[in-house]
Every structure is written in structure tokens, then in C-alpha cells.
Amino acid sequence: TDHLTGLYNRHAFDERLREACARAKEGDQPVTVVLVDISGTRIVNEVHGPDVGDDMIRRTAIAMAHCIRGADTAARIGGDDFGVIVPDGDIALGRLIARRIAHEIERMNAEEWADQIPVSLTFGVATGVGCDPTDLFAAAEQQLTDYKAVRPMISVLRLRDESNGPSVA
């Protein structure tokens, strides 16, 4: 297990992903991977110190643990990165779990964590049937990377001062 979060560590995640893919291949069932990245921890660590960044990681782990099924595996797979293995889960279920996690983080940011630095997440979701675990992980990671490439542009657009007048979408 991971010492900071109490979730599985990367080694356990990789092992369970191999097992889930092997079982899925035998039963011709899907397996889904949800990758979760906490946004901005590097800046938080630089400005507020690593203890505050570690707190964000712990809080995220707690929220994630409340949002997954008993058959799923949640793990901290890197500094501020997490993974969820959803055996027998299709892409719709993977997206649902990602939305559950996002909603729980939003709720906790507004309620229990209102006096703390808010947590913001990015997700990558991939599903495969009879696939190699490395390929499945890489597909979810690519989706996460693609989203992170456009996120700064979206953030900059949001920072623009909008008038209170009418708008057209």
C-alpha cells in the first residue's frame, strides 16, 4: 500500500491490472482504467509547502475511495496521480465513476474542505476487451495527456473579465 494515502501503490496497481486483463480476456469482458491527476500540486508545494500538497493527495484518496465499487481497485500510481481499475466495466461505467469522483471532490471542496486549498482533477478513461494491460493504461494516459494540453488554454479563457451584458453562445 501507499504510505501517504493507504490506497494500493503502483506495483499493486500494475499487478491487479494484469490480473483483471487476463480474467477479462478469458471471459470476453471489458476492463476499464480511470486515471486521475490532481492539478496544480507542484505550484501548491512551491507556494505553501509539501505538507499542504500531501494533504491534497490524502483528501483526494479519501474522496476516491468513497466513489468506487467494492470490486474496483484504487491506487496512487505516482506523485499526484491515481488509477482505478474497473473489472467487467465498460466505458460508460468508467465515465460514471470519473463523474462520481469529480462530484464528490466538488462537494467536499465546498463543504468539508471549504477552508483549504481546493482540489481540481483531470481524468483519462479507457476500456478494452482482450487487451494488453500496458496498451490499456497507455490509452487512458494519452487521453489524460491530451486533456492537459488544452486545459491551460481553457483556464486562460476563463480568466478573461466578461461583461455583465448579454452574451451569445
Side-chain angles (χ1 to χ4, degrees), residues 40-75:
T41 50
R42 182 181 55 81
I43 293 169
V44 168
N45 285 340
E46 289 173 5
V47 173
H48 300 283
D51 290 342
V52 176
D54 286 352
D55 183 59
M56 290 175 70
I57 292 168
R58 273 191 295 275
R59 290 187 284 141
T60 301
I62 291 166
M64 285 180 57
H66 288 118
C67 298
I68 64 171
R69 308 170 309 160
D72 301 337
T73 299

Side-chain angles (χ1 to χ4, degrees), residues 16-32 85-89 127-132 136:
R16 281 172 176 69
L17 182 57
R18 279 191 301 277
E19 292 168 359
C21 285
R23 280 192 308 275
K25 193 177 225 176
E26 289 172 6
D28 200 32
Q29 296 293 316
V31 110
T32 297
I85 303 166
V86 184
D88 299 326
T127 298
V129 176
C131 62
D132 179 75
L136 182 60

